[in-house]
Amino acid sequence: MNYIKAFFVGGLICLIGQILIDKTKLTPARILVLFVCVGCVLGGLGWYPMLVDFGGAGATVPLTGFGNNLARGVKEEIDAVGAIGILTGGLKSAAGGLTAVMIFAFLTALIAKPKQK
């Protein structure tokens, strides 16, 4: 049942993204930023963790999950060290994912031969 819930939640997030691409003039990059911001706001309000409890990886893997991770890190860091946690919490909580992104982007740049349009 966990797989079905994860598939449903992840698929719903992807469906919303596809509808935004098809029905609006938003670029994919703006939609991705929108998803991170929505995840951050929902995480800050305490609503996204309920979605994570229901959907598991279907909620944590998409970009909305990244935004939630940033919000959670900021909340935890504010509780631990005070107002400076606003600046450090998000980076601490997302450091592993951001490092992986940079490493894979670097490796892709070494392998790929990009062409200018």
Side-chain angles (χ1 to χ4, degrees):
M1 193 63 178
N2 289 337
Y3 295 121
I4 293 170
K5 289 179 184 177
F7 182 79
F8 176 74
V9 171
L12 186 63
I13 293 170
C14 292
L15 176 69
I16 292 168
Q18 190 62 51
I19 290 171
L20 288 172
I21 289 172
D22 292 344
K23 301 295 182 186
T24 68
K25 292 186 180 192
L26 291 172
T27 63
R30 289 184 182 190
I31 293 169
L32 295 176
V33 170
L34 176 70
F35 275 9
V36 172
C37 292
V38 166
C40 194
V41 169
L42 293 177
L45 294 173
W47 297 346
Y48 204 81
M50 291 185 287
L51 186 63
V52 171
D53 289 341
F54 176 77
T60 58
V61 172
L63 284 171
T64 50
F66 177 69
N68 176 53
N69 188 20
L70 292 174
R72 184 177 35 127
V74 169
K75 285 169 115 178
E76 291 172 1
E77 198 69 11
I78 287 174
D79 291 341
V81 297
I84 193 72
I86 296 169
L87 301 173
T88 61
L91 291 175
K92 278 186 178 181
S93 68
L98 293 172
T99 302
V101 165
M102 288 188 280
I103 290 170
F104 289 126
F106 177 73
L107 293 174
T108 303
L110 291 176
I111 296 168
K113 302 282 187 233
K115 297 178 184 168
Q116 190 136 11
K117 291 184 179 184

